[in-house]
């Protein structure tokens, strides 16, 4: 039974996209860290590297010079939320809290990062990397800005196939996935997205 993943294509994206290459490397290194807190830090850094300054949409203007001041925490959490189709922004809030824990560790030495925090973030980053790859294959481009533009487009969020793919990423039971798929299919028909 095929999972639908073409691993050669993941390697091809890695070889042709520095953002993805860096994020993928950090993700893999997080598994080999002897300390979950170090692994956790690598996972946040993986998220930062794929949602780099070149793609930040969430910024404030400096009150002195009016130049944009990028808010990395906001950008990472919003982009993770966006790529994982988190319409209720539940994931966004969780990622902000996890980011704060990473910052407290790095800047204040607080080691308040639990094993559950580590595994939650690991799952988010894994899904982000898969969805980033999926989007690149969908638009047939390795260019980071093109991939990010598609991630932020309304078009991507309306594609039934994309929603169906996400259903396959979650860890719910087959019956729950089936119910979600039927719900999304009926919803798409009622909204006129599927003739």
């Amino acid at each position: 039974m095929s999972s639908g993943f073409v691993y050669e294509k993941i390697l091809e994206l890695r070889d042709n996209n520095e953002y993805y290459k860096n994020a993928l490397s950090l993700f893999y290194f997080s598994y080999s860290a002897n300390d979950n807190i170090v692994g956790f830090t690598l996972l946040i850094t993986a998220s930062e590297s794929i949602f780099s300054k070149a793609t930040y949409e969430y910024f404030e203007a400096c009150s002195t010079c009016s130049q944009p001041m990028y808010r990395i925490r906001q950008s990472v959490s919003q982009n993770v939320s966006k790529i994982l189709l988190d319409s209720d922004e539940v994931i966004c809030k969780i990622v902000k809290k996890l980011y704060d824990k990473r910052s407290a560790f790095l800047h204040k030495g607080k080691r308040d990062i639990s094993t559950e925090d580590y595994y939650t973030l690991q799952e988010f980053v894994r899904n982000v990397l898969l969805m980033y790859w999926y989007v690149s294959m969908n638009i047939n481009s390795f260019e980071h800005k093109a991939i990010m533009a598609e991630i932020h487009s309304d078009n991507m969020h309306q594609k039934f196939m994309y929603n169906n793919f996400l259903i396959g990423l979650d860890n719910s039971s087959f019956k729950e996935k089936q119910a979600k798929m039927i719900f999304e299919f009926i919803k798409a028909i009622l909204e006129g997205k599927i003739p």
Side-chain angles (χ1 to χ4, degrees), residues 44-78:
I44 290 282
T45 307
S47 300
E48 287 176 337
S49 71
I50 206 160
F51 299 125
S52 70
K53 186 176 178 180
T55 60
Y56 291 168
E57 289 189 1
Y58 308 98
F59 61 86
E60 298 173 331
C62 174
S63 59
T64 306
C65 66
S66 299
Q67 291 294 316
M69 297 185 328
Y70 295 98
R71 300 182 324 205
I72 296 171
R73 173 183 172 264
Q74 181 73 8
S75 178
V76 168
S77 59
Q78 288 289 334

Side-chain angles (χ1 to χ4, degrees), residues 4-21:
F5 293 106
V6 180
Y7 293 101
E8 292 78 20
K9 291 291 185 182
I10 291 174
L11 297 177
E12 195 174 350
L13 176 62
R14 179 201 64 192
D15 293 342
N16 290 287
N17 182 307
E18 289 298 316
Y19 297 95
Y20 192 75
K21 181 178 185 174

Side-chain angles (χ1 to χ4, degrees), residues 4 24 26 31 33 39 76 88 102 104 118 123 138 154 161 188:
L24 198 58
L26 290 161
Y31 279 90
V76 168
D88 298 330
R102 191 287 310 249
Y118 171 75
E123 189 63 13
N138 190 45
D154 291 334
M161 179 190 284

Side-chain angles (χ1 to χ4, degrees), residues 71-123:
R71 300 182 324 205
I72 296 171
R73 173 183 172 264
Q74 181 73 8
S75 178
V76 168
S77 59
Q78 288 289 334
N79 279 300
V80 168
S81 178
K82 192 86 156 165
I83 198 169
L84 297 181
L85 298 179
D86 177 30
S87 59
D88 298 330
E89 296 202 359
V90 173
I91 292 172
C92 182
K93 291 173 188 168
I94 294 169
V95 172
K96 282 181 182 178
K97 287 179 184 177
L98 296 174
Y99 198 96
D100 290 344
K101 287 184 177 193
R102 191 287 310 249
S103 294
F105 166 65
L106 288 180
H107 305 298
K108 298 177 184 173
K110 292 186 177 183
R111 298 180 64 87
D112 296 334
I113 300 166
S114 69
T115 302
E116 182 181 337
D117 292 334
Y118 171 75
Y119 287 124
T120 298
L121 184 59
Q122 189 179 67
E123 189 63 13

Side-chain angles (χ1 to χ4, degrees), residues 180-192:
K180 286 180 190 176
M181 186 178 76
I182 291 168
F183 173 79
E184 290 296 326
F185 183 71
I186 292 170
K187 181 179 166 190
I189 291 171
L190 292 174
E191 291 174 349

Side-chain angles (χ1 to χ4, degrees), residues 124-191:
F124 287 157
V125 175
R126 182 183 72 82
N127 287 336
V128 162
L129 291 170
L130 286 171
M131 292 309 297
Y132 186 93
W133 165 78
Y134 180 76
V135 171
S136 78
M137 294 299 103
N138 190 45
I139 64 170
N140 204 18
S141 174
F142 298 128
E143 185 185 340
H144 182 65
K145 286 191 178 200
I147 294 166
M148 290 304 298
E150 180 66 12
I151 288 167
H152 285 277
S153 75
D154 291 334
N155 183 42
M156 185 194 81
H157 298 279
Q158 295 172 355
K159 292 181 181 172
F160 176 73
M161 179 190 284
Y162 188 82
N163 287 328
N164 197 24
F165 179 78
L166 257 189
I167 290 168
L169 285 179
D170 71 30
N171 292 324
S172 56
S173 72
F174 177 76
K175 287 201 178 279
E176 290 170 322
K177 288 178 189 177
Q178 188 179 38
K180 286 180 190 176
M181 186 178 76
I182 291 168
F183 173 79
E184 290 296 326
F185 183 71
I186 292 170
K187 181 179 166 190
I189 291 171
L190 292 174
E191 291 174 349

